[in-house]
Amino acid sequence: MMKIKTPKTLKAKRALDKRAPKLVENAKKTLILHGTKTSYVLNAVLAQIFHLKKGLAVKFSRKNENIRPFESSGETSLEFFSLKTDCSFFVFGSHSKKRPNNLILGRMYDHHIYDLVEVGVENFKPIESFKYDKKIAPRQGSKPFFAFIGENFESVDELKHLKEVLLDHFRGEIVENLNLTGVDRAFVCTAISSTTVSFKHCAIRLKKSGTSIPRIELIEVGPSMDLVVRRHRLPNEAVKKQAMKAAPTQPRKIKNVSRDEVKGKIGKIYMPDQQVGGLALSNNIKGLKRERREGKTKDKRDDHDPSKKMRTEESQ
């Protein structure tokens, strides 16, 4: 039997409540880590991704020998790190002769691997290689635009899956309302072929257009890279159905119960007609016995009162 540990301090209880499922979820964090061997290009890619997701990312610097996604025996350590850091996404980098500059993007459900996409990085350009006015540099934590160019994102299963994973990784916190002046970045993904996607990060500059809608100008600020899809693993149908469950947006309506701001909770109770007029009443009722006793005691008092006797004789 597994022992269930309960929090012993208020700090531990608050930490568990923060990780518990909520109707409105917290912003999802990303775990960034690498395997036993990486290249200079891959280290730079992981550092640039951490910079783009700063504030919503956790980066490990040590080598991880036991992590091997796409293998059942190599996912235990990754799920353990996800539980400890409370991260819903992960980016794993590794380098080998068979798969150079390998990058694995994955999502978690209940701190277990949900799906995986493996890509190879080519033609990488870091942020430092782009020259632009630093005043238009995107701010940390701002919401981005996404542009997916190409029909392959709708027809090819690998690119369709990659599109979903990229959207989840870089969209940031979900908001209801958005101010147009606060959107200062965009991710442009172009499907070059059925397996290759050009990924670019651009800054947004708003210019006058003569109308109420400004003209948008994109300035590439980096990083920029080509992602070549190698392998991908879709989620299990049963797990996908469970993960897609959504909580009801409105509370369940209870019949004959309403709520008032002043009176609070108000309920209506419907009673059937009891036909009281047709009920036969017996004489053996405690209330009637009490009336009889009171009447007898009153008669005895009248018999012992001489003044009342005199009044009755005079009246006669």
Side-chain angles (χ1 to χ4, degrees):
M1 295 291 292
M2 292 182 63
K3 184 179 179 181
I4 300 175
K5 294 183 179 181
T6 57
K8 297 181 180 180
T9 61
L10 291 175
K11 185 178 180 181
K13 187 177 182 302
R14 286 194 297 267
L16 290 178
D17 292 341
K18 190 176 180 181
R19 294 184 179 185
K22 300 178 181 62
L23 185 62
V24 179
E25 294 184 350
N26 301 330
K28 296 180 180 180
K29 297 189 295 184
T30 303
L31 177 63
I32 300 174
L33 66 172
H34 55 80
T36 55
K37 186 179 179 181
T38 55
S39 62
Y40 173 78
V41 174
L42 201 59
N43 289 333
V45 170
L46 295 177
Q48 300 284 302
I49 294 175
F50 178 72
H51 176 74
L52 292 177
K53 294 182 63 65
K54 201 168 185 179
L56 293 175
V58 179
K59 188 175 184 295
F60 287 178
S61 57
R62 293 184 179 181
K63 296 180 180 180
N64 300 277
E65 299 177 358
N66 299 325
I67 296 179
R68 292 181 300 275
F70 290 98
E71 297 180 15
S72 58
S73 60
E75 298 177 353
T76 307
S77 298
L78 187 58
E79 293 173 353
F80 172 75
F81 290 144
S82 170
L83 178 62
K84 295 294 286 185
T85 57
D86 193 23
C87 291
S88 302
F89 308 127
F90 71 90
V91 179
F92 180 77
S94 62
H95 179 75
S96 63
K97 186 177 180 181
K98 185 178 180 180
R99 293 187 177 92
N101 300 327
N102 200 48
L103 203 65
I104 298 178
L105 308 174
R107 295 182 288 183
M108 294 282 188
Y109 173 69
D110 196 18
H111 301 294
H112 295 285
I113 292 181
Y114 180 71
D115 59 353
L116 297 168
V117 176
E118 184 182 63
V119 295
V121 179
E122 297 179 356
N123 303 325
F124 173 69
K125 295 180 182 179
I127 297 176
E128 295 77 16
S129 62
F130 293 91
K131 295 181 180 180
Y132 57 92
D133 188 5
K134 301 302 179 183
K135 294 181 181 179
I136 64 172
R139 294 183 296 271
Q140 179 182 337
S142 60
K143 290 287 290 183
F145 277 137
F146 279 91
F148 291 93
I149 305 171
E151 297 179 355
N152 290 329
F153 283 114
E154 303 297 331
S155 58
V156 181
D157 293 337
E158 290 82 357
L159 297 189
K160 190 186 298 184
H161 189 198
L162 180 62
K163 175 184 175 180
E164 295 178 0
V165 174
L166 290 176
L167 277 172
D168 274 353
H169 271 75
F170 294 100
R171 70 179 178 180
E173 190 174 357
I174 300 176
V175 295
E176 295 181 358
N177 300 319
L178 191 63
N179 190 357
L180 185 60
T181 58
V183 182
D184 56 359
R185 70 173 71 198
F187 292 103
V188 181
C189 302
T190 307
I192 301 174
S193 65
S194 60
T195 57
T196 306
V197 174
S198 174
F199 180 84
K200 295 181 180 180
H201 179 224
C202 301
I204 294 178
R205 194 171 183 179
L206 302 178
K207 291 191 173 183
K208 295 181 180 180
S209 62
T211 60
S212 59
I213 301 174
R215 183 171 61 88
I216 296 177
E217 182 179 340
L218 297 180
I219 301 173
E220 191 171 358
V221 295
S224 173
M225 67 190 89
D226 292 341
L227 304 177
V228 182
V229 180
R230 291 171 178 168
R231 291 184 292 177
H232 77 114
R233 189 176 77 187
L234 295 172
N236 188 13
E237 289 298 328
V239 178
K240 184 178 180 180
K241 185 178 180 180
Q242 188 177 3
M244 291 296 180
K245 283 184 179 179
T249 55
Q250 296 181 353
R252 186 178 178 183
K253 187 177 180 180
I254 304 175
K255 189 177 180 180
N256 299 330
V257 175
S258 60
R259 185 169 292 276
D260 188 78
E261 295 181 358
V262 179
K263 298 180 180 180
K265 192 174 181 180
I266 302 173
K268 292 182 180 179
I269 300 176
Y270 293 90
M271 297 292 293
D273 189 7
Q274 298 183 6
Q275 302 293 333
V276 180
L279 293 176
L281 300 177
S282 64
N283 295 326
N284 189 16
I285 301 175
K286 291 183 179 180
L288 295 176
K289 290 180 180 179
R290 183 178 178 183
E291 290 180 359
R292 290 170 185 171
R293 285 197 303 268
E294 291 177 353
K296 288 180 180 179
T297 55
K298 187 177 181 182
D299 293 340
K300 289 180 181 179
R301 290 174 184 173
D302 294 342
D303 294 340
H304 293 290
D305 192 355
S307 61
K308 289 187 176 181
K309 287 183 178 181
M310 294 285 291
R311 292 172 185 171
T312 54
E313 290 177 356
E314 291 176 356
S315 62
Q316 291 176 358

PDB file of all heavy atoms in Angstrom, residues 220-253:
ATOM      1  N   GLU A 220      12.393  41.187 -38.077  1.00  0.00           N
ATOM      2  CA  GLU A 220      12.957  39.963 -37.517  1.00  0.00           C
ATOM      3  C   GLU A 220      14.002  40.295 -36.457  1.00  0.00           C
ATOM      4  O   GLU A 220      14.950  41.031 -36.702  1.00  0.00           O
ATOM      5  CB  GLU A 220      13.587  39.110 -38.627  1.00  0.00           C
ATOM      6  CG  GLU A 220      13.949  37.711 -38.184  1.00  0.00           C
ATOM      7  CD  GLU A 220      14.373  36.821 -39.341  1.00  0.00           C
ATOM      8  OE1 GLU A 220      14.341  37.298 -40.501  1.00  0.00           O
ATOM      9  OE2 GLU A 220      14.758  35.667 -39.086  1.00  0.00           O
ATOM     10  N   VAL A 221      13.797  39.753 -35.257  1.00  0.00           N
ATOM     11  CA  VAL A 221      14.703  40.021 -34.141  1.00  0.00           C
ATOM     12  C   VAL A 221      15.382  38.753 -33.630  1.00  0.00           C
ATOM     13  O   VAL A 221      16.247  38.836 -32.743  1.00  0.00           O
ATOM     14  CB  VAL A 221      13.945  40.713 -32.997  1.00  0.00           C
ATOM     15  CG1 VAL A 221      13.449  42.086 -33.436  1.00  0.00           C
ATOM     16  CG2 VAL A 221      12.793  39.852 -32.506  1.00  0.00           C
ATOM     17  N   GLY A 222      15.007  37.595 -34.150  1.00  0.00           N
ATOM     18  CA  GLY A 222      15.648  36.355 -33.752  1.00  0.00           C
ATOM     19  C   GLY A 222      15.074  35.800 -32.458  1.00  0.00           C
ATOM     20  O   GLY A 222      14.404  36.510 -31.706  1.00  0.00           O
ATOM     21  N   PRO A 223      15.279  34.506 -32.228  1.00  0.00           N
ATOM     22  CA  PRO A 223      16.069  33.585 -33.038  1.00  0.00           C
ATOM     23  C   PRO A 223      15.318  33.094 -34.276  1.00  0.00           C
ATOM     24  O   PRO A 223      14.098  33.235 -34.373  1.00  0.00           O
ATOM     25  CB  PRO A 223      16.331  32.433 -32.072  1.00  0.00           C
ATOM     26  CG  PRO A 223      15.146  32.446 -31.167  1.00  0.00           C
ATOM     27  CD  PRO A 223      14.755  33.873 -31.002  1.00  0.00           C
ATOM     28  N   SER A 224      16.073  32.516 -35.202  1.00  0.00           N
ATOM     29  CA  SER A 224      15.524  31.978 -36.438  1.00  0.00           C
ATOM     30  C   SER A 224      16.157  30.608 -36.689  1.00  0.00           C
ATOM     31  O   SER A 224      17.364  30.440 -36.491  1.00  0.00           O
ATOM     32  CB  SER A 224      15.799  32.926 -37.602  1.00  0.00           C
ATOM     33  OG  SER A 224      15.417  32.335 -38.823  1.00  0.00           O
ATOM     34  N   MET A 225      15.324  29.647 -37.115  1.00  0.00           N
ATOM     35  CA  MET A 225      15.837  28.285 -37.348  1.00  0.00           C
ATOM     36  C   MET A 225      14.870  27.525 -38.234  1.00  0.00           C
ATOM     37  O   MET A 225      13.701  27.911 -38.392  1.00  0.00           O
ATOM     38  CB  MET A 225      16.034  27.555 -36.014  1.00  0.00           C
ATOM     39  CG  MET A 225      14.748  27.250 -35.267  1.00  0.00           C
ATOM     40  SD  MET A 225      14.998  26.647 -33.591  1.00  0.00           S
ATOM     41  CE  MET A 225      15.043  28.215 -32.704  1.00  0.00           C
ATOM     42  N   ASP A 226      15.370  26.439 -38.812  1.00  0.00           N
ATOM     43  CA  ASP A 226      14.554  25.505 -39.581  1.00  0.00           C
ATOM     44  C   ASP A 226      14.373  24.237 -38.757  1.00  0.00           C
ATOM     45  O   ASP A 226      15.345  23.673 -38.241  1.00  0.00           O
ATOM     46  CB  ASP A 226      15.207  25.164 -40.922  1.00  0.00           C
ATOM     47  CG  ASP A 226      15.236  26.357 -41.863  1.00  0.00           C
ATOM     48  OD1 ASP A 226      14.463  27.302 -41.635  1.00  0.00           O
ATOM     49  OD2 ASP A 226      16.038  26.334 -42.822  1.00  0.00           O
ATOM     50  N   LEU A 227      13.117  23.792 -38.633  1.00  0.00           N
ATOM     51  CA  LEU A 227      12.781  22.603 -37.858  1.00  0.00           C
ATOM     52  C   LEU A 227      12.383  21.484 -38.813  1.00  0.00           C
ATOM     53  O   LEU A 227      11.415  21.633 -39.570  1.00  0.00           O
ATOM     54  CB  LEU A 227      11.639  22.900 -36.881  1.00  0.00           C
ATOM     55  CG  LEU A 227      11.866  24.057 -35.901  1.00  0.00           C
ATOM     56  CD1 LEU A 227      10.626  24.286 -35.051  1.00  0.00           C
ATOM     57  CD2 LEU A 227      13.077  23.804 -35.023  1.00  0.00           C
ATOM     58  N   VAL A 228      13.145  20.397 -38.784  1.00  0.00           N
ATOM     59  CA  VAL A 228      12.880  19.243 -39.643  1.00  0.00           C
ATOM     60  C   VAL A 228      12.263  18.145 -38.775  1.00  0.00           C
ATOM     61  O   VAL A 228      12.898  17.649 -37.837  1.00  0.00           O
ATOM     62  CB  VAL A 228      14.172  18.735 -40.315  1.00  0.00           C
ATOM     63  CG1 VAL A 228      13.860  17.557 -41.236  1.00  0.00           C
ATOM     64  CG2 VAL A 228      14.848  19.856 -41.082  1.00  0.00           C
ATOM     65  N   VAL A 229      11.020  17.774 -39.075  1.00  0.00           N
ATOM     66  CA  VAL A 229      10.315  16.783 -38.270  1.00  0.00           C
ATOM     67  C   VAL A 229      10.908  15.401 -38.529  1.00  0.00           C
ATOM     68  O   VAL A 229      11.019  14.967 -39.677  1.00  0.00           O
ATOM     69  CB  VAL A 229       8.806  16.791 -38.600  1.00  0.00           C
ATOM     70  CG1 VAL A 229       8.074  15.750 -37.759  1.00  0.00           C
ATOM     71  CG2 VAL A 229       8.220  18.174 -38.368  1.00  0.00           C
ATOM     72  N   ARG A 230      11.280  14.708 -37.444  1.00  0.00           N
ATOM     73  CA  ARG A 230      11.849  13.365 -37.548  1.00  0.00           C
ATOM     74  C   ARG A 230      10.871  12.294 -37.036  1.00  0.00           C
ATOM     75  O   ARG A 230      10.571  11.341 -37.743  1.00  0.00           O
ATOM     76  CB  ARG A 230      13.160  13.299 -36.764  1.00  0.00           C
ATOM     77  CG  ARG A 230      14.262  14.127 -37.417  1.00  0.00           C
ATOM     78  CD  ARG A 230      15.488  14.230 -36.542  1.00  0.00           C
ATOM     79  NE  ARG A 230      16.553  14.982 -37.212  1.00  0.00           N
ATOM     80  CZ  ARG A 230      17.659  15.427 -36.608  1.00  0.00           C
ATOM     81  NH1 ARG A 230      17.857  15.182 -35.312  1.00  0.00           N
ATOM     82  NH2 ARG A 230      18.560  16.105 -37.297  1.00  0.00           N
ATOM     83  N   ARG A 231      10.449  12.428 -35.799  1.00  0.00           N
ATOM     84  CA  ARG A 231       9.491  11.485 -35.226  1.00  0.00           C
ATOM     85  C   ARG A 231       8.418  12.260 -34.457  1.00  0.00           C
ATOM     86  O   ARG A 231       8.658  13.373 -34.008  1.00  0.00           O
ATOM     87  CB  ARG A 231      10.180  10.496 -34.260  1.00  0.00           C
ATOM     88  CG  ARG A 231      11.112   9.505 -34.927  1.00  0.00           C
ATOM     89  CD  ARG A 231      11.652   8.522 -33.897  1.00  0.00           C
ATOM     90  NE  ARG A 231      12.553   9.162 -32.933  1.00  0.00           N
ATOM     91  CZ  ARG A 231      13.116   8.544 -31.893  1.00  0.00           C
ATOM     92  NH1 ARG A 231      12.848   7.264 -31.674  1.00  0.00           N
ATOM     93  NH2 ARG A 231      13.940   9.193 -31.090  1.00  0.00           N
ATOM     94  N   HIS A 232       7.280  11.631 -34.289  1.00  0.00           N
ATOM     95  CA  HIS A 232       6.240  12.230 -33.451  1.00  0.00           C
ATOM     96  C   HIS A 232       5.357  11.119 -32.905  1.00  0.00           C
ATOM     97  O   HIS A 232       5.193  10.057 -33.528  1.00  0.00           O
ATOM     98  CB  HIS A 232       5.417  13.266 -34.235  1.00  0.00           C
ATOM     99  CG  HIS A 232       4.409  12.682 -35.158  1.00  0.00           C
ATOM    100  ND1 HIS A 232       3.051  12.820 -34.988  1.00  0.00           N
ATOM    101  CD2 HIS A 232       4.564  11.923 -36.273  1.00  0.00           C
ATOM    102  CE1 HIS A 232       2.412  12.205 -35.955  1.00  0.00           C
ATOM    103  NE2 HIS A 232       3.310  11.655 -36.746  1.00  0.00           N
ATOM    104  N   ARG A 233       4.814  11.355 -31.731  1.00  0.00           N
ATOM    105  CA  ARG A 233       3.943  10.370 -31.073  1.00  0.00           C
ATOM    106  C   ARG A 233       2.674  11.062 -30.603  1.00  0.00           C
ATOM    107  O   ARG A 233       2.713  11.980 -29.779  1.00  0.00           O
ATOM    108  CB  ARG A 233       4.658   9.723 -29.889  1.00  0.00           C
ATOM    109  CG  ARG A 233       3.887   8.541 -29.289  1.00  0.00           C
ATOM    110  CD  ARG A 233       4.674   7.868 -28.193  1.00  0.00           C
ATOM    111  NE  ARG A 233       4.629   8.631 -26.956  1.00  0.00           N
ATOM    112  CZ  ARG A 233       5.348   8.338 -25.880  1.00  0.00           C
ATOM    113  NH1 ARG A 233       6.192   7.318 -25.908  1.00  0.00           N
ATOM    114  NH2 ARG A 233       5.253   9.072 -24.792  1.00  0.00           N
ATOM    115  N   LEU A 234       1.548  10.622 -31.123  1.00  0.00           N
ATOM    116  CA  LEU A 234       0.257  11.193 -30.761  1.00  0.00           C
ATOM    117  C   LEU A 234      -0.217  10.630 -29.424  1.00  0.00           C
ATOM    118  O   LEU A 234       0.196   9.543 -29.022  1.00  0.00           O
ATOM    119  CB  LEU A 234      -0.773  10.902 -31.851  1.00  0.00           C
ATOM    120  CG  LEU A 234      -0.513  11.551 -33.223  1.00  0.00           C
ATOM    121  CD1 LEU A 234      -1.499  11.021 -34.243  1.00  0.00           C
ATOM    122  CD2 LEU A 234      -0.610  13.062 -33.120  1.00  0.00           C
ATOM    123  N   PRO A 235      -1.074  11.346 -28.728  1.00  0.00           N
ATOM    124  CA  PRO A 235      -1.572  10.837 -27.436  1.00  0.00           C
ATOM    125  C   PRO A 235      -2.535   9.682 -27.619  1.00  0.00           C
ATOM    126  O   PRO A 235      -3.169   9.516 -28.666  1.00  0.00           O
ATOM    127  CB  PRO A 235      -2.263  12.062 -26.831  1.00  0.00           C
ATOM    128  CG  PRO A 235      -2.657  12.891 -27.998  1.00  0.00           C
ATOM    129  CD  PRO A 235      -1.582  12.695 -29.024  1.00  0.00           C
ATOM    130  N   ASN A 236      -2.653   8.883 -26.571  1.00  0.00           N
ATOM    131  CA  ASN A 236      -3.615   7.792 -26.560  1.00  0.00           C
ATOM    132  C   ASN A 236      -5.035   8.362 -26.557  1.00  0.00           C
ATOM    133  O   ASN A 236      -5.301   9.399 -25.961  1.00  0.00           O
ATOM    134  CB  ASN A 236      -3.381   6.921 -25.321  1.00  0.00           C
ATOM    135  CG  ASN A 236      -4.219   5.662 -25.357  1.00  0.00           C
ATOM    136  OD1 ASN A 236      -4.792   5.319 -26.384  1.00  0.00           O
ATOM    137  ND2 ASN A 236      -4.294   4.981 -24.229  1.00  0.00           N
ATOM    138  N   GLU A 237      -5.960   7.668 -27.228  1.00  0.00           N
ATOM    139  CA  GLU A 237      -7.320   8.188 -27.355  1.00  0.00           C
ATOM    140  C   GLU A 237      -8.010   8.307 -25.996  1.00  0.00           C
ATOM    141  O   GLU A 237      -8.727   9.276 -25.743  1.00  0.00           O
ATOM    142  CB  GLU A 237      -8.138   7.279 -28.281  1.00  0.00           C
ATOM    143  CG  GLU A 237      -7.748   7.367 -29.750  1.00  0.00           C
ATOM    144  CD  GLU A 237      -7.968   8.757 -30.318  1.00  0.00           C
ATOM    145  OE1 GLU A 237      -8.909   9.439 -29.870  1.00  0.00           O
ATOM    146  OE2 GLU A 237      -7.221   9.157 -31.211  1.00  0.00           O
ATOM    147  N   ALA A 238      -7.789   7.330 -25.119  1.00  0.00           N
ATOM    148  CA  ALA A 238      -8.425   7.391 -23.798  1.00  0.00           C
ATOM    149  C   ALA A 238      -7.866   8.553 -22.977  1.00  0.00           C
ATOM    150  O   ALA A 238      -8.617   9.285 -22.315  1.00  0.00           O
ATOM    151  CB  ALA A 238      -8.211   6.069 -23.063  1.00  0.00           C
ATOM    152  N   VAL A 239      -6.541   8.745 -23.049  1.00  0.00           N
ATOM    153  CA  VAL A 239      -5.918   9.848 -22.319  1.00  0.00           C
ATOM    154  C   VAL A 239      -6.337  11.183 -22.927  1.00  0.00           C
ATOM    155  O   VAL A 239      -6.576  12.162 -22.205  1.00  0.00           O
ATOM    156  CB  VAL A 239      -4.386   9.696 -22.327  1.00  0.00           C
ATOM    157  CG1 VAL A 239      -3.724  10.865 -21.608  1.00  0.00           C
ATOM    158  CG2 VAL A 239      -3.981   8.387 -21.678  1.00  0.00           C
ATOM    159  N   LYS A 240      -6.442  11.231 -24.246  1.00  0.00           N
ATOM    160  CA  LYS A 240      -6.846  12.466 -24.915  1.00  0.00           C
ATOM    161  C   LYS A 240      -8.269  12.852 -24.529  1.00  0.00           C
ATOM    162  O   LYS A 240      -8.570  14.030 -24.287  1.00  0.00           O
ATOM    163  CB  LYS A 240      -6.736  12.284 -26.428  1.00  0.00           C
ATOM    164  CG  LYS A 240      -7.050  13.539 -27.223  1.00  0.00           C
ATOM    165  CD  LYS A 240      -6.864  13.287 -28.718  1.00  0.00           C
ATOM    166  CE  LYS A 240      -7.175  14.546 -29.511  1.00  0.00           C
ATOM    167  NZ  LYS A 240      -7.004  14.326 -30.970  1.00  0.00           N
ATOM    168  N   LYS A 241      -9.164  11.877 -24.451  1.00  0.00           N
ATOM    169  CA  LYS A 241     -10.546  12.154 -24.075  1.00  0.00           C
ATOM    170  C   LYS A 241     -10.624  12.674 -22.645  1.00  0.00           C
ATOM    171  O   LYS A 241     -11.392  13.589 -22.341  1.00  0.00           O
ATOM    172  CB  LYS A 241     -11.374  10.880 -24.229  1.00  0.00           C
ATOM    173  CG  LYS A 241     -12.850  11.076 -23.980  1.00  0.00           C
ATOM    174  CD  LYS A 241     -13.622   9.798 -24.205  1.00  0.00           C
ATOM    175  CE  LYS A 241     -15.110  10.003 -23.945  1.00  0.00           C
ATOM    176  NZ  LYS A 241     -15.887   8.740 -24.157  1.00  0.00           N
ATOM    177  N   GLN A 242      -9.797  12.109 -21.772  1.00  0.00           N
ATOM    178  CA  GLN A 242      -9.791  12.557 -20.382  1.00  0.00           C
ATOM    179  C   GLN A 242      -9.184  13.948 -20.247  1.00  0.00           C
ATOM    180  O   GLN A 242      -9.639  14.770 -19.438  1.00  0.00           O
ATOM    181  CB  GLN A 242      -9.024  11.552 -19.519  1.00  0.00           C
ATOM    182  CG  GLN A 242      -9.112  11.814 -18.036  1.00  0.00           C
ATOM    183  CD  GLN A 242      -8.403  10.754 -17.232  1.00  0.00           C
ATOM    184  OE1 GLN A 242      -7.789   9.850 -17.790  1.00  0.00           O
ATOM    185  NE2 GLN A 242      -8.473  10.857 -15.917  1.00  0.00           N
ATOM    186  N   ALA A 243      -8.129  14.228 -21.037  1.00  0.00           N
ATOM    187  CA  ALA A 243      -7.469  15.529 -20.960  1.00  0.00           C
ATOM    188  C   ALA A 243      -8.325  16.642 -21.552  1.00  0.00           C
ATOM    189  O   ALA A 243      -8.185  17.802 -21.154  1.00  0.00           O
ATOM    190  CB  ALA A 243      -6.121  15.471 -21.673  1.00  0.00           C
ATOM    191  N   MET A 244      -9.206  16.313 -22.495  1.00  0.00           N
ATOM    192  CA  MET A 244     -10.036  17.320 -23.147  1.00  0.00           C
ATOM    193  C   MET A 244     -11.297  17.669 -22.371  1.00  0.00           C
ATOM    194  O   MET A 244     -12.058  18.533 -22.797  1.00  0.00           O
ATOM    195  CB  MET A 244     -10.424  16.842 -24.555  1.00  0.00           C
ATOM    196  CG  MET A 244      -9.271  16.782 -25.522  1.00  0.00           C
ATOM    197  SD  MET A 244      -8.575  18.415 -25.852  1.00  0.00           S
ATOM    198  CE  MET A 244      -7.267  17.996 -26.992  1.00  0.00           C
ATOM    199  N   LYS A 245     -11.521  17.016 -21.235  1.00  0.00           N
ATOM    200  CA  LYS A 245     -12.706  17.321 -20.446  1.00  0.00           C
ATOM    201  C   LYS A 245     -12.632  18.745 -19.921  1.00  0.00           C
ATOM    202  O   LYS A 245     -11.609  19.176 -19.406  1.00  0.00           O
ATOM    203  CB  LYS A 245     -12.837  16.339 -19.280  1.00  0.00           C
ATOM    204  CG  LYS A 245     -13.357  14.977 -19.673  1.00  0.00           C
ATOM    205  CD  LYS A 245     -13.557  14.108 -18.449  1.00  0.00           C
ATOM    206  CE  LYS A 245     -14.109  12.736 -18.825  1.00  0.00           C
ATOM    207  NZ  LYS A 245     -14.286  11.881 -17.616  1.00  0.00           N
ATOM    208  N   ALA A 246     -13.719  19.456 -20.038  1.00  0.00           N
ATOM    209  CA  ALA A 246     -13.781  20.842 -19.576  1.00  0.00           C
ATOM    210  C   ALA A 246     -14.819  20.963 -18.474  1.00  0.00           C
ATOM    211  O   ALA A 246     -15.880  20.324 -18.522  1.00  0.00           O
ATOM    212  CB  ALA A 246     -14.123  21.783 -20.734  1.00  0.00           C
ATOM    213  N   ALA A 247     -14.513  21.777 -17.495  1.00  0.00           N
ATOM    214  CA  ALA A 247     -15.441  22.003 -16.395  1.00  0.00           C
ATOM    215  C   ALA A 247     -16.610  22.849 -16.879  1.00  0.00           C
ATOM    216  O   ALA A 247     -16.461  23.679 -17.785  1.00  0.00           O
ATOM    217  CB  ALA A 247     -14.729  22.695 -15.238  1.00  0.00           C
ATOM    218  N   PRO A 248     -17.785  22.665 -16.312  1.00  0.00           N
ATOM    219  CA  PRO A 248     -18.945  23.480 -16.729  1.00  0.00           C
ATOM    220  C   PRO A 248     -18.722  24.946 -16.413  1.00  0.00           C
ATOM    221  O   PRO A 248     -18.255  25.302 -15.324  1.00  0.00           O
ATOM    222  CB  PRO A 248     -20.107  22.899 -15.920  1.00  0.00           C
ATOM    223  CG  PRO A 248     -19.464  22.191 -14.771  1.00  0.00           C
ATOM    224  CD  PRO A 248     -18.139  21.701 -15.264  1.00  0.00           C
ATOM    225  N   THR A 249     -19.033  25.796 -17.384  1.00  0.00           N
ATOM    226  CA  THR A 249     -18.818  27.231 -17.203  1.00  0.00           C
ATOM    227  C   THR A 249     -19.849  27.853 -16.271  1.00  0.00           C
ATOM    228  O   THR A 249     -19.566  28.820 -15.580  1.00  0.00           O
ATOM    229  CB  THR A 249     -18.869  27.947 -18.558  1.00  0.00           C
ATOM    230  OG1 THR A 249     -20.113  27.646 -19.205  1.00  0.00           O
ATOM    231  CG2 THR A 249     -17.724  27.480 -19.440  1.00  0.00           C
ATOM    232  N   GLN A 250     -21.076  27.286 -16.229  1.00  0.00           N
ATOM    233  CA  GLN A 250     -22.138  27.808 -15.376  1.00  0.00           C
ATOM    234  C   GLN A 250     -22.504  26.759 -14.326  1.00  0.00           C
ATOM    235  O   GLN A 250     -22.493  25.560 -14.611  1.00  0.00           O
ATOM    236  CB  GLN A 250     -23.382  28.169 -16.200  1.00  0.00           C
ATOM    237  CG  GLN A 250     -23.141  29.302 -17.186  1.00  0.00           C
ATOM    238  CD  GLN A 250     -24.391  29.635 -17.957  1.00  0.00           C
ATOM    239  OE1 GLN A 250     -25.396  28.937 -17.849  1.00  0.00           O
ATOM    240  NE2 GLN A 250     -24.335  30.690 -18.739  1.00  0.00           N
ATOM    241  N   PRO A 251     -22.813  27.197 -13.108  1.00  0.00           N
ATOM    242  CA  PRO A 251     -23.214  26.218 -12.082  1.00  0.00           C
ATOM    243  C   PRO A 251     -24.524  25.530 -12.442  1.00  0.00           C
ATOM    244  O   PRO A 251     -25.376  26.105 -13.124  1.00  0.00           O
ATOM    245  CB  PRO A 251     -23.358  27.080 -10.820  1.00  0.00           C
ATOM    246  CG  PRO A 251     -23.586  28.468 -11.315  1.00  0.00           C
ATOM    247  CD  PRO A 251     -22.816  28.576 -12.608  1.00  0.00           C
ATOM    248  N   ARG A 252     -24.670  24.313 -11.977  1.00  0.00           N
ATOM    249  CA  ARG A 252     -25.869  23.530 -12.285  1.00  0.00           C
ATOM    250  C   ARG A 252     -27.092  24.145 -11.618  1.00  0.00           C
ATOM    251  O   ARG A 252     -27.074  24.445 -10.423  1.00  0.00           O
ATOM    252  CB  ARG A 252     -25.673  22.091 -11.804  1.00  0.00           C
ATOM    253  CG  ARG A 252     -26.801  21.159 -12.193  1.00  0.00           C
ATOM    254  CD  ARG A 252     -26.518  19.757 -11.720  1.00  0.00           C
ATOM    255  NE  ARG A 252     -27.606  18.851 -12.044  1.00  0.00           N
ATOM    256  CZ  ARG A 252     -27.644  17.573 -11.705  1.00  0.00           C
ATOM    257  NH1 ARG A 252     -26.615  17.060 -11.035  1.00  0.00           N
ATOM    258  NH2 ARG A 252     -28.665  16.819 -12.033  1.00  0.00           N
ATOM    259  N   LYS A 253     -28.160  24.326 -12.384  1.00  0.00           N
ATOM    260  CA  LYS A 253     -29.370  24.953 -11.863  1.00  0.00           C
ATOM    261  C   LYS A 253     -30.156  23.955 -11.033  1.00  0.00           C
ATOM    262  O   LYS A 253     -30.421  22.835 -11.464  1.00  0.00           O
ATOM    263  CB  LYS A 253     -30.229  25.466 -13.024  1.00  0.00           C
ATOM    264  CG  LYS A 253     -31.423  26.284 -12.560  1.00  0.00           C
ATOM    265  CD  LYS A 253     -32.197  26.822 -13.743  1.00  0.00           C
ATOM    266  CE  LYS A 253     -33.396  27.641 -13.265  1.00  0.00           C
ATOM    267  NZ  LYS A 253     -34.172  28.169 -14.412  1.00  0.00           N
TER     268      LYS A 253
END
